[in-house]
Amino acid sequence: MKILVVGLGLIGGSICKALKKYTYHNVTGCDINHDIEYAALRDVALDNIFDGNLKGFDLIIISLFPEASEKFFADHAAEIGENTLITDVCGIKGKFSERMKKIANENSLRYLGIHPMAGKEFGGYYNSTADLFVKANFIIAPFDDSTEYDVLLLQELAKEIGAGKIVVTTPENHDKMIAYTSQLAHIVSSAYVKSPELGLECGFSGGSFQDMTRIATMNEKMWTDLFMQNREHLQYELDTLIENLKKYSSALKDGDAEKMKALIAEGRELKEENLRHRVGQPN
Amino acid sequence: MKILVVGLGLIGGSICKALKKYTYHNVTGCDINHDIEYAALRDVALDNIFDGNLKGFDLIIISLFPEASEKFFADHAAEIGENTLITDVCGIKGKFSERMKKIANENSLRYLGIHPMAGKEFGGYYNSTADLFVKANFIIAPFDDSTEYDVLLLQELAKEIGAGKIVVTTPENHDKMIAYTSQLAHIVSSAYVKSPELGLECGFSGGSFQDMTRIATMNEKMWTDLFMQNREHLQYELDTLIENLKKYSSALKDGDAEKMKALIAEGRELKEENLRHRVGQPN
């Protein structure tokens, strides 16, 4: 296939590198920063730098932040060839995907979103890597009228770049699940570093502190956009967590060891059950 | 040195394995489960199985849960030789250490506690490993009247088994810091798995979900004991976190993107500053 990747950040750059490492597809890339386009060409992450002609691609993968993805598609949909499938890699689907679909329909184009569940605590092209998607979960979120062919095309692509479990779900269910598995984790991490003890912790921490705070470095522009587009689901998950945390706080306040033991046991059992269902799944 | 390790669980077992792998100390071990003593002897994690004679050791490392550590020491202090330094590896110091010190004083023994900041989400001898402490932080919590010799002896031991940053602090400060870096993380992890979405998450998660929930498998008996002995510090940290999480919830509820962006930026800056101070420190 002839593939165009729009935006060579952590995800776009990693897709290009993975495509060049693991497939024979012809990869064209573009980035607002031309130095990065040249860097990607030198890294053999691309076959070509985009020349401005949007015709002739089998697949366009828009790898920009949500707002920029919509703007790019709206601005350029009319220039895209009719046999091209358009996708995006945003961590939000739901209404965002519906707006993207509307642009596609108005221009007689095929669109459906994907979300590779991979990332790093630091973004940008220079942190991208060909193996970012290896064994990572990969979500495809088609619409009722998406064709089986388009879903299969993206499933094959996911397999080619090494994805682990590939899930096909609705844009709405994607958002509901991602609020819990990813967005809530980012909020917790961000809030966790706001203790007065943070500046004093050097030498006092183990792996669990690192795990809790690793993703607090998230980019505020992108994540605000993601959170705000998924407000309802995310607030539900966050308030559920706060309510659960309050139970532990009460047990501490009351000095109720039996209550605390029951709360911890409940969590342990839930996590063990969760692990049993994930056998062979690294993520 | 002749070293006795009491309790061959994850930490005790790993100490034995590390001592045998990295040092020439003579290692004796005992466990309530005799099968594990024999397993440790077969694994060359021990030189000898404990024969009941507590005389003649240079160092006794009590590697039991807090309550059992106190009981062991109280029950056997009178049998311990006078040239023996006694330590424990509990994740609590403060008043626990004071009680241990009292037993030591009453029996003219030397005691001071340590806390190797290493662990795994699954405990027990069969998860122990010689490299558990490699590059891990290691806390030594002496009293005002502890001798420099005893602190140095434990610092050397920590270095020998591969510890990273070795911190000497008061038992009280240990508890304050550990409430934040370790105990709070365990509560968050335990509460995180209590969303109705947990059972549905398979295929929808990335590394951040795993990071958040890894330690939810903690043993409720040990951690209840640790939490309850550090109630005040832990409740302060937990309530601080809950208050901070509520700010994100308000921003979501109000649809206040600027507020959300500021909250995320604040967390990012704090974490970046924290990382700068940890250069070369894996934990």
Side-chain angles (χ1 to χ4, degrees):
Chain A
M1 286 196 292
K2 279 195 73 180
I3 301 176
L4 170 65
V5 177
V6 179
L8 303 176
L10 176 65
I11 302 297
S14 294
I15 289 174
C16 292
K17 287 177 178 174
L19 288 171
K20 288 305 298 171
K21 182 173 178 184
Y22 295 114
T23 80
Y24 290 104
H25 299 302
N26 183 287
V27 184
T28 301
C30 72
D31 196 274
I32 199 166
N33 180 338
H34 296 303
D35 288 347
I36 285 177
E37 291 177 333
Y38 293 115
L41 199 64
R42 278 195 306 274
D43 293 346
V44 200
L46 300 179
D47 293 292
N48 332 283
I49 294 178
F50 181 58
D51 64 2
N53 178 7
L54 281 162
K55 301 268 188 294
F57 293 104
D58 299 293
L59 177 66
I60 296 178
I61 305 173
I62 306 176
S63 304
L64 304 170
F65 289 180
E67 208 177 313
S69 294
E70 260 186 271
K71 185 165 167 22
F72 176 88
F73 195 31
D75 289 351
H76 297 286
E79 305 160 36
I80 297 173
E82 61 184 7
N83 292 318
T84 307
L85 174 64
I86 295 100
T87 191
D88 74 283
V89 299
C90 291
I92 187 84
K93 294 289 173 261
K95 294 207 176 64
F96 165 84
S97 281
E98 283 173 26
R99 293 192 298 272
M100 294 288 277
K101 182 74 158 74
K102 189 160 173 283
I103 300 169
N105 288 348
E106 285 165 2
N107 291 275
S108 307
L109 294 169
R110 292 140 58 211
Y111 160 82
L112 73 91
I114 57 176
H115 184 186
M117 294 300 299
K120 281 188 180 181
E121 54 270 43
F122 297 102
Y125 176 77
Y126 295 105
N127 288 304
S128 67
T129 155
D131 290 330
L132 190 66
F133 311 107
V134 172
K135 294 192 181 170
N137 290 326
F138 195 104
I139 307 174
I140 302 175
F143 303 91
D144 289 344
D145 65 348
S146 297
T147 65
E148 203 172 324
Y149 174 84
D150 286 347
V151 174
L152 271 172
L153 184 150
L154 293 169
Q155 277 175 322
E156 281 307 306
L157 199 81
K159 279 183 208 163
E160 285 181 315
I161 62 174
K165 199 170 198 81
I166 302 168
V167 177
V168 179
T169 191
T170 62
E172 176 64 15
N173 191 51
H174 166 276
D175 286 6
K176 191 177 168 194
M177 292 309 303
I178 252 51
Y180 173 57
T181 59
S182 168
Q183 298 184 335
L184 178 63
H186 283 78
I187 285 187
V188 169
S189 201
S190 182
Y192 201 101
V193 295
K194 295 180 180 179
S195 162
E197 263 57 72
L198 178 75
L200 310 166
E201 68 71 32
C202 193
F204 286 94
S205 54
S208 52
F209 174 78
Q210 267 311 96
D211 282 356
M212 279 294 143
T213 62
R214 181 178 61 84
I215 49 178
T217 52
M218 68 181 145
N219 176 298
E220 59 266 22
K221 193 172 175 309
M222 181 175 87
W223 285 95
T224 298
D225 200 354
L226 292 171
F227 291 170
M228 287 298 157
Q229 294 209 32
N230 202 16
R231 272 172 64 190
E232 285 177 29
H233 290 128
L234 181 54
Q235 203 195 329
Y236 169 78
E237 293 299 335
L238 180 51
D239 290 349
T240 300
L241 178 67
I242 290 171
E243 285 313 307
N244 278 311
L245 288 172
K246 282 181 181 168
K247 293 177 193 166
Y248 295 77
S249 179
S250 294
L252 288 172
K253 196 176 165 194
D254 302 340
D256 189 342
E258 282 310 307
K259 176 82 184 298
M260 180 59 83
K261 202 191 276 184
L263 287 168
I264 301 174
E266 184 193 4
R268 178 182 56 71
E269 284 159 17
L270 284 164
K271 177 63 183 175
E272 284 172 356
E273 186 65 17
N274 179 250
L275 283 171
R276 267 179 214 111
H277 288 152
R278 298 159 64 89
V279 174
Q281 290 292 325
N283 293 312
Chain B
M1 285 198 293
K2 278 195 73 181
I3 301 176
L4 170 64
V5 177
V6 179
L8 302 176
L10 176 65
I11 301 297
S14 295
I15 288 174
C16 293
K17 288 178 179 175
L19 288 171
K20 289 305 297 171
K21 181 173 177 183
Y22 295 114
T23 81
Y24 290 103
H25 299 303
N26 182 287
V27 184
T28 301
C30 72
D31 197 275
I32 199 166
N33 180 339
H34 297 303
D35 288 346
I36 285 177
E37 291 177 334
Y38 292 117
L41 199 64
R42 278 195 306 273
D43 293 347
V44 200
L46 299 179
D47 292 294
N48 332 283
I49 292 178
F50 180 59
D51 64 3
N53 179 5
L54 280 162
K55 300 267 189 295
F57 292 104
D58 300 292
L59 177 65
I60 295 178
I61 305 174
I62 306 177
S63 304
L64 304 170
F65 289 0
E67 208 177 313
S69 295
E70 261 185 89
K71 185 166 169 18
F72 176 87
F73 194 30
D75 289 351
H76 298 286
E79 305 160 36
I80 297 174
E82 60 183 9
N83 293 317
T84 308
L85 174 64
I86 296 101
T87 191
D88 75 281
V89 299
C90 291
I92 187 82
K93 294 289 172 262
K95 294 207 175 64
F96 164 83
S97 281
E98 283 171 27
R99 294 192 299 271
M100 294 288 278
K101 182 75 159 73
K102 189 160 173 281
I103 300 169
N105 288 348
E106 287 165 1
N107 291 274
S108 306
L109 294 169
R110 292 139 59 211
Y111 160 81
L112 73 90
I114 57 176
H115 184 188
M117 295 297 299
K120 280 187 179 182
E121 55 269 45
F122 297 103
Y125 177 77
Y126 295 105
N127 287 304
S128 68
T129 155
D131 290 330
L132 190 65
F133 311 106
V134 172
K135 294 190 180 171
N137 290 326
F138 194 104
I139 307 174
I140 301 175
F143 303 91
D144 288 345
D145 64 349
S146 299
T147 65
E148 204 172 323
Y149 174 85
D150 286 347
V151 174
L152 271 172
L153 185 150
L154 293 168
Q155 277 175 322
E156 282 308 307
L157 198 82
K159 279 182 207 162
E160 286 181 314
I161 61 173
K165 198 170 198 80
I166 301 169
V167 178
V168 179
T169 191
T170 62
E172 176 65 13
N173 191 51
H174 166 277
D175 286 6
K176 191 177 168 195
M177 292 309 304
I178 254 48
Y180 173 56
T181 60
S182 169
Q183 298 184 336
L184 179 63
H186 283 79
I187 286 187
V188 170
S189 202
S190 182
Y192 202 103
V193 295
K194 295 179 180 179
S195 161
E197 263 58 70
L198 178 75
L200 310 166
E201 67 71 31
C202 191
F204 286 94
S205 54
S208 52
F209 174 79
Q210 266 312 96
D211 283 355
M212 280 293 143
T213 63
R214 180 177 62 83
I215 50 180
T217 52
M218 66 181 148
N219 175 298
E220 58 266 23
K221 191 171 176 313
M222 181 175 86
W223 286 94
T224 298
D225 200 355
L226 292 171
F227 291 169
M228 287 298 157
Q229 295 209 31
N230 202 16
R231 271 173 65 191
E232 285 176 30
H233 290 128
L234 182 53
Q235 203 195 330
Y236 170 78
E237 293 299 336
L238 179 51
D239 291 348
T240 300
L241 178 67
I242 290 170
E243 285 313 306
N244 279 311
L245 288 172
K246 282 181 182 168
K247 294 177 192 165
Y248 295 78
S249 179
S250 296
L252 287 172
K253 195 176 166 196
D254 302 341
D256 190 340
E258 282 310 307
K259 176 80 182 300
M260 180 59 83
K261 202 192 276 184
L263 287 167
I264 301 173
E266 185 193 3
R268 177 181 57 70
E269 284 159 17
L270 284 164
K271 175 63 183 174
E272 285 172 356
E273 186 66 16
N274 179 250
L275 284 170
R276 268 180 214 109
H277 289 151
R278 298 159 63 90
V279 173
Q281 290 292 326
N283 291 315

